[in-house]
């Protein structure tokens, strides 16, 4: 393909122009326009993922699959990152927490990756789907009870529901006691919000949880990882828990918010199930938009460009899923052919539980608030201006105020009998908005403590 030139005869995307920025409000408000521009340069193009941080972004579906499924030529260990090793990445860059090396399955290759991933997948395989649905319903009922009796019948879905729900689910799945669960939520929330000391808060809470499970093992994800035949060290267990929590929390929250907004949109066809809204979200609004750093082990030709060994190559799951070349025959593909969960050896190991949690969360809201509707059309909702994820800023809703009782047969769950599943994003601790009329005085503590107290009828 011939490289496009501008009116001055300079190739688009070359250093004379500067790499296309994938950050800021302009990109955040209309990423598709940027992806269209990048596609004109070939299957990949140079972009600035953060100020002063240049990467190659792959926008082609076929090229993305080629890289994701080729672990020999493209590895995940970011210690190969040329610019970082040469001191050319700003020390305070927001790209570092996303791309910097961590000793987990996400940034490992070969035998090291296989060992860590096997421990994770085997632990996740113990999930009981029925109990996972009930746990998601419990979390949904608690959160809905906090805002559903509001006299105005109005709430903001992202902060009140979509963001906290996955954290409640996975605090339970990790087997967290209430106080440790509060600190885990505070830590992961702070990391996403850039709160100083959040790393230490999360690390300390998880280290305490692991020490507890050494003394008192349970039927939870933490214990499963610890007793696995891979013989993970406590540090390795901690890093796998962080990966599950951070790598799944934000995408799952985004999926719940976007799927709900789509389903409640006036343009949504009557009669289509909630699952279709989740599938459309994963195809058209990939929650993890641009990520999965790969590092060529040698120079690789891709289209008209050379991907240099050691230079980061990121996958645009968002652009690949909406690749016009794919759209022509997308209806003939499986509904699971999207790349929202990745592909190849590093594909998300919990995609089925994640889908189940998202669909159950949306269904629970619709069942508990049957007249719920959005106060802003879907097309007018704002998106978070970040290159990494595709998530709505707010989803304002309205409904008839009511007291929402717990779902039948959905409570309580024993604190240490968690079932492993996927993971999710950040949520600032809040005071409960609304409690059932029969409830006792609000217990002290953070979000997870209050959730636990509510489940126990306190």
């Amino acid at each position: 393909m011939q490289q496009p030139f501008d009116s001055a005869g300079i190739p688009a995307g070359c250093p004379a122009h500067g790499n296309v920025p994938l950050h800021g409000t302009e990109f955040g408000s209309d990423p598709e326009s940027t992806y269209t521009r990048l596609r004109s340069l070939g299957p990949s193009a140079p972009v600035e993922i953060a100020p002063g941080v240049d990467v190659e972004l792959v926008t082609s579906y076929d090229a993305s699959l080629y890289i994701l499924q080729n672990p020999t030529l493209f590895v995940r260990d970011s210690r190969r990152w040329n610019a970082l090793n040469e001191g050319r990445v700003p020390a305070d860059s927001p790209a570092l927490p996303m791309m910097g090396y961590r000793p987990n399955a996400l940034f490992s290759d070969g035998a090291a990756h296989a060992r860590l991933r096997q421990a994770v997948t085997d632990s996740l395989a113990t999930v009981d789907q029925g109990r996972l649905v009930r746990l998601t319903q419990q979390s949904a009922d608690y959160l809905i009870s906090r805002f559903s009796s509001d006299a105005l019948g109005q709430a903001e879905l992202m902060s009140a529901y979509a963001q906290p729900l996955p954290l409640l689910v996975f605090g339970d799945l990790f087997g967290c006691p209430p106080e440790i669960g509060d600190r885990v939520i505070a830590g992961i929330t702070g990391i996403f919000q850039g709160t100083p000391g959040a790393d230490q808060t999360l690390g300390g809470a998880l280290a305490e949880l692991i020490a507890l499970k050494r003394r008192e093992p349970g039927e939870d994800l933490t214990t499963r990882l610890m007793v696995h035949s891979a013989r993970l060290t406590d540090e390795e267990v901690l890093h796998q828990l962080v990966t599950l929590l951070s790598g799944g929390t934000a995408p799952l929250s985004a999926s719940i918010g976007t799927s709900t907004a789509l389903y409640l949109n006036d343009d949504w066809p009557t009669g289509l199930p909630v699952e279709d809204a989740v599938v459309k979200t994963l195809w058209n609004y990939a929650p993890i938009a641009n990520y999965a750093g790969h590092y060529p082990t040698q120079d690789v030709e891709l289209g008209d460009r050379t991907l240099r060994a050691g230079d980061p190559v990121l996958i645009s799951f968002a652009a690949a899923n909406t690749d016009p070349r794919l759209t022509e025959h997308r209806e003939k593909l499986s509904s699971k052919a999207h790349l929202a969960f990745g592909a190849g050896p590093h594909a998300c190991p919990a995609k089925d539980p994640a889908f189940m949690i998202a669909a159950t969360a949306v269904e629970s809201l619709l069942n508990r608030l049957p007249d719920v509707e959005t106060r802003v059309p879907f097309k007018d909702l704002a998106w978070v201006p970040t290159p990494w994820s595709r998530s709505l800023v707010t989803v304002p809703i309205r409904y008839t105020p009511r007291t929402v009782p717990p779902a039948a047969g959905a409570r309580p769950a024993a604190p240490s009998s968690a079932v492993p599943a996927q993971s999710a994003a950040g949520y600032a601790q809040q005071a409960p908005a609304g409690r059932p009329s029969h409830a006792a005085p609000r217990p002290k503590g953070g979000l997870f403590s209050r959730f636990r107290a509510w489940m126990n009828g306190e």
Side-chain angles (χ1 to χ4, degrees):
M1 171 180 138
Q2 186 174 1
Q3 193 174 29
F5 288 78
D6 70 4
S7 58
I10 301 174
C14 84
H17 285 288
N19 290 351
V20 177
L22 250 67
H23 53 87
T25 54
E26 182 177 350
F27 168 77
S29 63
D30 187 15
E32 279 302 326
S33 293
T34 302
Y35 298 145
T36 298
R37 176 184 173 190
L38 294 173
R39 290 189 190 105
S40 71
L41 307 178
S44 72
V47 303
E48 186 182 66
I49 198 72
V53 181
D54 296 327
V55 303
E56 189 80 9
L57 188 73
V58 181
T59 57
S60 158
Y61 182 91
D62 290 340
S64 295
L65 272 182
Y66 167 69
I67 292 171
L68 291 167
Q69 296 176 340
N70 197 335
T72 302
L73 276 179
F74 298 93
V75 299
R76 300 295 298 272
D77 190 337
S78 59
R79 289 175 294 186
R80 293 173 174 263
W81 187 358
N82 290 331
L84 182 63
N85 294 333
E86 296 165 6
R88 293 187 282 116
V89 176
D92 60 350
S93 172
L96 282 177
M98 302 299 296
M99 297 174 60
Y101 174 79
R102 297 175 188 270
N104 58 36
L106 190 63
F107 291 94
S108 301
D109 301 290
H113 169 256
R115 171 176 168 270
L116 295 174
R117 183 179 174 87
Q118 194 64 52
V120 172
T121 54
D122 287 349
S123 298
L124 291 171
T126 65
V127 64
D128 177 271
Q129 295 187 356
R131 189 176 185 283
L132 179 59
V133 168
R134 292 192 297 274
L135 180 55
T136 304
Q137 290 171 337
Q138 288 177 324
S139 303
D141 288 341
Y142 169 66
L143 294 169
I144 295 170
S145 76
R146 285 158 51 95
F147 65 77
S148 60
S149 60
D150 176 80
L152 296 177
Q154 297 183 0
E156 198 291 288
L157 191 72
M158 295 303 296
S159 61
Y161 189 72
Q163 291 169 354
L165 188 148
L167 289 170
L168 295 180
V169 171
F170 292 102
D172 194 281
L173 295 176
F174 284 7
C176 291
E179 190 273 336
I180 292 180
D182 287 341
R183 286 190 286 134
V184 168
I185 289 177
I188 191 62
T189 298
I191 287 174
F192 278 100
Q193 295 178 345
T195 304
D199 271 329
Q200 290 79 5
T201 298
L202 179 60
L206 290 178
E208 188 173 328
L209 175 63
I210 292 168
L212 172 65
K213 297 303 175 181
R214 287 287 180 203
R215 301 190 303 269
E216 304 172 16
E219 296 297 320
D220 50 69
L221 179 56
T222 306
T223 302
R224 299 287 188 193
L225 286 169
M226 293 171 65
V227 303
H228 190 270
S229 59
R231 302 177 65 86
L232 272 60
T233 66
D234 286 359
E235 182 183 9
E236 288 175 328
V237 172
L238 188 151
H239 282 289
Q240 308 325 302
L241 291 176
V242 171
T243 302
L244 287 169
L245 193 60
S246 60
T249 308
L252 192 49
S253 296
S255 296
I256 294 170
T258 305
S259 300
T260 302
L262 277 173
Y263 191 88
L264 297 177
N265 187 38
D266 290 339
D267 294 336
W268 186 257
T270 303
L272 284 184
V274 163
E275 288 80 2
D276 283 16
V278 179
V279 169
K280 184 172 182 179
T281 293
L282 296 173
W283 271 110
N284 292 359
Y285 308 96
I288 300 177
N290 305 287
Y291 196 51
H294 289 75
Y295 300 84
T297 56
Q298 63 187 54
D299 290 358
V300 178
E301 300 298 321
L302 187 68
D304 291 337
R305 295 188 58 78
T306 299
L307 310 182
R308 289 185 57 234
D311 282 354
V313 178
L314 268 58
I315 305 297
S316 178
F317 300 108
N321 278 351
T322 56
D323 185 344
R325 296 184 181 183
L326 178 68
T327 305
E328 298 174 2
H329 56 89
R330 199 171 83 176
E331 293 182 359
K332 299 178 182 179
L333 296 174
S334 163
S335 62
K336 297 181 179 181
H338 59 78
L339 298 182
F341 293 124
H346 282 87
C348 174
K351 55 186 176 183
D352 291 336
F355 187 94
M356 184 182 301
I357 292 171
T360 301
V362 179
E363 288 174 346
S364 295
L365 181 76
L366 299 174
N367 290 337
R368 293 309 193 182
L369 302 175
D371 62 349
V372 65
E373 59 183 11
T374 54
R375 290 184 281 138
V376 178
F378 183 81
K379 64 181 179 61
D380 294 331
L381 293 172
W383 299 89
V384 175
T386 170
W388 312 105
S389 62
R390 184 70 162 154
S391 179
L392 291 166
V393 177
T394 61
V395 180
I397 58 172
R398 58 174 165 249
Y399 48 86
T400 299
R402 68 196 71 198
T403 296
V404 175
R411 56 188 271 155
S416 62
S417 61
V419 180
Q422 232 275 77
S423 26
Y427 174 64
Q429 298 180 41
Q430 303 178 1
R435 293 275 296 175
S437 59
H438 63 274
R442 296 172 183 170
K444 296 180 180 180
L447 175 67
F448 196 69
S449 291
R450 296 194 295 269
F451 171 54
R452 275 280 165 216
W454 179 85
M455 285 206 300
N456 292 329
E458 298 175 10

